Amino acid sequence: MFRIAARAGRAHAKRSAGSRAFGSKAQAPSTARNVAWTAGWLVVGGLGYLYATDSSAGIHRYITTPLMRLLDAEKAHDLAIFSLKHGLHPVDRKADDALLEVTLWGKRISNPIGMAAGFDKNAEAIDALFALGFGSVEVGSITPVAQAGNPAPRLFRADEHGTTINRMGLNNDGMQVCGDRIRTRFWRLLAAQSQRKGETVASLAANVNRSAHGDRLLGINLSKNKSSAANSYADYVSGLEKLGPYADYFVINVSCPNVKNIAASSDVAVLENTVQAVMRARNAMADYRPPVVLKIGPDNDADQLRLIAQLALDYGVDGIIATNTTRSRPAALAATRVGREEGGLSGPPLRDLALATTREMYRLTRGRIPIIGCGGISTAEDALAFARAGASCVQIYSSMTLDGPGKVREIKDGLVDLLKGRKWADVVGEDAK
C-alpha cells in the first residue's frame, strides 16, 4: 500500500510540476504583450507631446485658438497670458535660417519678427514669447503708476475682417511692479548663465543683451498716466531712468489713440520737448544707454510726418515704430456693430496705412534711422513688403491672436521661400533705391 501511495504521490508531484511549468509558459506571452503595450503607449504619448508642444502643429490653429475665440476677447487674452506665464504653451523647435538674421543697434538677432507692445502689457510672459520664436519682444505700455484703464467692454473682435478694436486705456501694473518682474528675470537668468559658463554675473551683465539671450531683443514700451498733464514729459523721463537699464531698446509711446492726454501725437511743440528731454536723460545715463525709439501713429498727415522725421534726425532718435493703431475705419467695417466701437483698429485693415507710413518715414529719414514696421502684418508677403518699404524689423500681434502661436514660424518659413537665397537685410529699403 505504501508503494502505491508513493507512486501516487510521485504522479501528483509530476502533474503539479507540469502545471507550474505550463503556467510559466502561459505567462511569458502575457508579460511580453504588457511590455509591448506599455512601450507603444509611451511612444505614442511622447510623439503626441512633441506634436502638441510644437507651435506649428495644426491643433493650435484649428482647435485651441478657435476655442479661445469663443470667449470674450479680453478674457481670451487674459487666458493666453496665464497659459504663457505658467508654461502651458508650445515652442518653436526649428532653428532660424541665417537669411533672416538682422543687426539692429549693433546687436544681432536671429530673425526680424517681433511681438508688438500691448500683448504682454505687464512683462509676465517674456520668455514664453521668445520660445514661440520671436526675435524681439516688446512689453508694455507701462506707466509710472498702475492704472485700471477704461471701463469694460473695451476689446472687440471682428473675425470676418481679421481685426480687433481696443480702447483698453493703457491698463497695466505700473512701473514698480513691472520693473521688479523685468529686473528679477534678468538677474535670475544671468545667475543661471554664470553657473553654466563659469563667468561672473558682473562680466555677463556688461556684455549680454538685456533680453538675456544672445540673439533676441527685449523692448520696453513706456507711456503716460492718464492723470499726467498733456504737455508733460516727466513720465517718459522717469520711466527711462528706472527701466532703461533693462531694455535692449526703449519705446516712447506718443501715439496711443485710446487716451486723451498724449498731446505729443498731434502737437509738434510738445513732441519736440518730449524728444529733447528723453534724449537728454538717455545721454546722461552713466553705464548703459539704451536706444530710444519713437512709436508713431498711422493718421499723421504729410507735414506732421516731415516734422517727426526731422525731429528724429535732429535729436538723434535711434529708431521709429510705424505704426500704432488707427482711429479710421474702412467702409465695410464701419457699417458693422464692432466697427462703430470707439478705439484703435488693428489687423489687416491697418496694413496699407502702416506700410505707407513706413515707406514715407524711410524716405524722409533717408534710411539713417532704423524703422520697425507694425500694423496688419499677417503673412510673409506682408512682412517682406514692409522690409522693401524700409523696415529693418517688423512686429505682429493681431494675426497671432487670430491664427495661433504658429504664426511666427509660418511667417519665418514663408520669408525664407520668398527671399530665394537673398538676405532679409539686403532687401530693406529696396523700394526706395
Side-chain angles (χ1 to χ4, degrees), residues 224 229-233 236 252-256 259-276 294-297 299-301 303-309 311 315 327:
K224 294 167 59 171
N231 61 353
S232 169
Y233 50 75
Y236 296 120
I252 305 301
N253 184 1
V254 295
S255 58
C256 180
V259 292
K260 299 179 179 180
N261 68 328
I262 302 184
S265 62
S266 56
D267 189 319
V268 174
V270 175
L271 177 61
E272 181 169 13
N273 290 338
T274 299
V275 171
Q276 187 178 32
L294 281 181
K295 186 165 187 175
I296 65 173
D299 302 321
N300 295 292
D301 61 31
D303 289 337
Q304 289 172 323
L305 290 178
R306 191 177 301 110
L307 288 167
I308 291 170
L311 285 175
Y315 290 102
R327 290 188 178 93

Side-chain angles (χ1 to χ4, degrees), residues 44 53 94 154 165 206 254 269-270 341 402:
V44 170
T53 57
K94 186 176 178 181
R154 53 192 181 176
I165 292 174
V254 295
V270 175
E341 295 287 352
L402 288 170

Side-chain angles (χ1 to χ4, degrees), residues 44-80:
V44 170
L47 291 174
Y49 172 81
L50 290 174
Y51 172 78
T53 57
D54 186 336
S55 63
S56 298
I59 188 174
H60 304 298
R61 179 164 191 163
Y62 299 112
I63 297 178
T64 57
T65 301
L67 284 174
M68 289 186 69
R69 286 206 297 270
L70 297 175
L71 300 174
D72 166 80
E74 188 168 352
K75 286 184 172 63
H77 176 268
D78 293 343
L79 177 59

Side-chain angles (χ1 to χ4, degrees), residues 290-409:
V292 171
V293 179
L294 281 181
K295 186 165 187 175
I296 65 173
D299 302 321
N300 295 292
D301 61 31
D303 289 337
Q304 289 172 323
L305 290 178
R306 191 177 301 110
L307 288 167
I308 291 170
Q310 194 58 53
L311 285 175
L313 290 168
D314 289 346
Y315 290 102
V317 170
D318 300 288
I320 294 171
I321 296 179
T323 66
N324 213 318
T325 56
T326 179
R327 290 188 178 93
S328 68
R329 302 286 188 271
L333 180 62
T336 67
R337 179 188 61 79
V338 171
R340 289 190 289 270
E341 295 287 352
E342 292 184 6
L345 171 75
S346 58
L350 174 60
R351 176 189 178 276
D352 290 347
L353 282 172
L355 182 60
T357 303
T358 297
R359 183 177 290 111
E360 184 65 2
M361 290 307 293
Y362 184 83
R363 185 186 71 82
L364 291 169
T365 58
R366 302 180 289 282
R368 292 164 53 188
I369 299 176
I371 295 172
I372 299 174
C374 180
I377 297 171
S378 57
T379 66
E381 288 80 4
D382 292 337
L384 189 60
F386 272 81
R388 287 174 170 156
S392 297
C393 293
V394 296
Q395 294 179 333
I396 66 172
Y397 178 169
S398 296
S399 60
M400 189 187 78
T401 63
L402 288 170
D403 293 335
K407 177 57 68 174
V408 194
R409 172 48 58 191

